Amino acid sequence: METSTALGEFLRIRRGRLKPEDVGITSYGARRVPGLRREELAQLAGVSVTYYTRLEQGQSHQASEQVIESLARALELSDDERLYLHNVARPVPARPHPVAPATARHGTRQLIASLDVPAVLVGPRTEVLAWNPLGHRLLAGHLDEAAPDRPDLRPNLTRMLFLDPHHRDLYPQWETSVSCAVASLRLMVSRNRDDRELAALIGDLAMSSEEFATLWAGHPVAEHASGPRRLRHPVVGEVTLELETLLLADEPDHRLLLYSATAGSPSQAALRLLWG
């Protein structure tokens, strides 16, 4: 899934987004393609053109941490992009590691049920493993509340965002929401390059959604685990909620999404109405 091909694609795309003048290089004459040339990036990173070309063509699988850091600096990557580059530059394990069962522990379910804010537990492939009633009503009231307990019906937040028109309508700024979702998914994939189910999800989305395929090809990389979320709910109208994502110590691939509203705000009143 995320092999040396991903490394080469990422390097080419990021190299193409840098202008020579942005990094202090004087450009002479017209360029056939935008961005830096290979030899220019290699010079900035302090590596030979031959070695860099091998990296970009997927012919070298043992780049050192020092080389990757040099490339990250030369490409002016963000922290999330730097982490992604390190992840995809590492060799894929010869044997896939055992994938943890995609189930929510009893204690986690009990915790979620006790919360008075929308709470959704998602697995390593953005699949919904559990939610409390308020989380269900907020994000997917049109689905069976027991769907996360059925592997054949289990909702997937990324799939819903692109392919479920009811869920899609929740997001008044849908283009921004899907860009963030794909950027987060890229980072997630780089951490789980041997996950066949995750690879199948990517393939299915790319075949089913032209918007997803276009965004995915651009290699966006960024973590979007917190911050304000605007939703247009079919029952209570527009709300602005603050998302916080918690990682579980015993299940590091599971993430707990919590949505809260400012005290005394119309959004808090809307959540109370939704609670019923």
Side-chain angles (χ1 to χ4, degrees), residues 138 169-173 229-241 266-268 270-271:
L138 177 68
D169 285 345
L170 276 176
Y171 298 89
Q173 298 173 317
R229 296 293 189 270
R230 277 186 59 204
L231 299 176
R232 184 174 49 212
H233 197 274
V235 176
V236 298
E238 286 207 10
V239 295
T240 298
L241 305 175
S267 294
Q268 186 183 54
L271 284 185

Side-chain angles (χ1 to χ4, degrees), residues 87-108:
N87 288 342
V88 297
R90 298 189 184 106
V92 178
R95 296 181 181 180
H97 60 73
V99 177
T103 57
R105 294 189 299 110
H106 171 73
T108 306

Side-chain angles (χ1 to χ4, degrees), residues 122-201:
V122 296
R125 306 165 197 97
T126 69
E127 71 274 33
V128 177
L129 303 179
W131 48 25
N132 63 5
L134 196 51
H136 166 246
R137 293 168 193 167
L138 177 68
L139 296 184
H142 62 292
L143 300 180
D144 184 353
E145 187 173 351
D149 297 324
R150 294 272 306 276
D152 57 327
L153 296 177
R154 182 170 289 160
N156 183 288
L157 294 184
T158 307
R159 188 189 302 276
M160 290 166 62
L161 189 58
F162 282 95
L163 303 180
D164 183 332
H166 297 286
H167 189 73
R168 179 171 177 156
D169 285 345
L170 276 176
Y171 298 89
Q173 298 173 317
W174 184 81
E175 291 81 5
T176 300
S177 298
V178 294
S179 295
C180 292
V182 172
S184 294
L185 190 61
R186 265 285 178 193
L187 196 53
M188 188 182 306
V189 167
S190 75
R191 298 183 181 116
N192 300 279
R193 291 180 291 159
D194 53 356
D195 189 328
R196 294 181 179 179
E197 291 185 41
L198 185 54
L201 171 67

